[in-house]
């Protein structure tokens, strides 16, 4: 019988980048995880995404600290110490030769020690990682995103802790597909309380009368979100974590999103309604420009040395 869907991995376009498979560096196109790893077949995994630009890794220590917190919330023993993880991040970029992109680190529960053992406390956690070009969230010609407020609610915080960066993306993916159906580019989800939670891989900000607000609950505490809040403070804006309704989003002067996979982006339309002037607003633009200044500054970045690797092959 011929399996018409069968495809060799080699047939997929090779993406530039480097993989790290629990101790071994490999080309990204050859990086694979074992099917029996609970990270794959039970989504028992936490991760972090760490952006780099012009050979500078952004807020590496802050990302590694959050990664460790995510592991602790999942009761996953740390598969490597902080210093080794920093070296792995460095090498994932140096070995790839990429100047701009993103590093992912994933800690999984691991593989059952034997078919009889189903107690997750008896597993040995595993570390995976890779570097790749940056997946852009997409900015249309006019510089603003068209979004919807999804009918799919975010997984309740009490079931899956959104502050641990995890791969329980079922709700987010369905919301993204709904955005396609409704002719939009992406989606924002509400929490079960009815207040705005976050988007499909990004945090959300609303600006009204010069005051910047972002959801307090049911969302990942994004490193970009934190950066935006620090920038807002440094520029003298009031910036609050708060309960925000969908109606308040629609009535905002400016809306924007934040994510390591691209920084900040304005939203210029929500549920088919124009936000503010329909163009990226002044506060959003000011925050965006300062964000990129910080991404290039020595204070917040770690230089990649492309000619020397921290770890042996
Ligand atoms: N919310 C979710 C669900 C995410 O997956 C992400 C990033 O992947 C974010 C928010 C933004 O977080 P960060 O700024 O740390 O990239």
């Amino acid at each position: 019988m011929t399996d018409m869907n069968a495809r060799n991995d080699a047939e997929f376009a090779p993406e530039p980048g480097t993989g790290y498979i629990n101790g071994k560096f490999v080309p990204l196109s050859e990086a694979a995880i074992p099917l029996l790893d609970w990270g794959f077949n039970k989504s028992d995994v936490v991760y972090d995404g760490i952006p780099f630009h012009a050979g500078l890794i952004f807020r590496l220590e802050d990302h590694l600290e959050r990664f460790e917190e995510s592991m602790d919330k999942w009761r996953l023993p740390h598969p490597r110490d902080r210093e080794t993880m920093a070296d792995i991040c460095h090498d994932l970029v140096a070995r790839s030769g990429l100047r701009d992109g993103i590093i992912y680190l994933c800690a999984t529960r691991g593989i059952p020690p034997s078919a009889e053992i189903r107690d997750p406390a008896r597993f040995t956690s595993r570390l995976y990682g890779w570097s790749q070009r940056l997946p852009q969230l997409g900015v249309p010609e006019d510089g603003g995103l068209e979004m919807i407020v999804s009918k799919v609610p975010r997984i309740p915080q009490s079931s899956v802790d959104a502050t641990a960066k995890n791969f329980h993306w079922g709700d987010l993916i369905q919301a993204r597909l709904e955005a396609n159906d409704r002719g939009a580019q992406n989606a924002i989800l509400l929490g079960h309380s009815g207040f705005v939670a976050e988007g499909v891989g990004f945090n959300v900000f609303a600006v009204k009368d010069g005051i910047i607000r972002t959801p307090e609950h049911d969302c990942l505490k994004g490193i970009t979100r934190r950066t935006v809040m620090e920038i807002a403070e440094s520029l003298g804006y009031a910036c609050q974590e708060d309960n925000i309704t969908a109606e308040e989003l629609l009535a905002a002067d400016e809306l924007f999103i934040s994510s390591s996979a691209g920084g900040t982006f304005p939203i210029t339309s929500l549920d088919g309604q124009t936000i503010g002037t329909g163009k990226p607003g002044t506060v959003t633009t000011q925050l965006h420009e300062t964000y990129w200044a910080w991404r290039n500054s020595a204070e917040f970045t770690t230089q990649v040395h492309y000619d020397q690797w921290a770890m042996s092959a």
Side-chain angles (χ1 to χ4, degrees), residues 47-49 63 66 104 154 162 165-166 169 172 198-203 219-225 258-261:
Y47 76 111
D48 220 280
H63 278 281
R66 181 177 67 177
Y104 287 101
R154 188 80 177 101
K165 196 163 161 57
N166 66 77
W169 269 56
L172 303 178
E198 61 187 332
V200 185
F202 51 83
N203 291 112
C219 61
L220 180 72
K221 304 292 187 253
I223 301 287
T224 324
R225 173 184 182 273
S258 71
S259 159
S260 295

Side-chain angles (χ1 to χ4, degrees), residues 178-209:
E178 184 191 340
N180 289 353
D181 295 344
R182 292 169 57 189
Q185 291 161 309
N186 221 320
I188 294 169
L189 290 81
L190 304 179
H192 279 257
S193 55
F195 295 112
V196 177
E198 61 187 332
V200 185
F202 51 83
N203 291 112
V204 178
F205 286 82
V207 186
K208 183 78 181 167
D209 300 327

Side-chain angles (χ1 to χ4, degrees), residues 25 57 76 81 116 148 151 162 166 174 179 185 199 208 223 244 257 271 300:
F25 290 95
I57 304 176
L76 270 169
D81 61 26
E116 289 74 35
I148 58 159
K151 296 184 173 44
N166 66 77
Q174 292 306 314
Q185 291 161 309
K208 183 78 181 167
I223 301 287
I244 303 172
I257 64 170
D271 286 342
F300 294 103

Side-chain angles (χ1 to χ4, degrees), residues 84-124:
T84 308
M85 291 194 297
D87 285 347
I88 291 167
C89 288
H90 176 276
D91 282 13
L92 283 172
V93 182
R95 287 165 190 262
S96 73
L98 290 167
R99 258 51 190 181
D100 283 81
I102 189 157
I103 306 159
Y104 287 101
L105 284 184
C106 307
T108 67
R109 185 71 55 193
I111 299 164
S114 76
E116 289 74 35
I117 297 175
R118 311 297 286 171
D119 174 3
R122 295 177 62 189
F123 289 34
T124 304

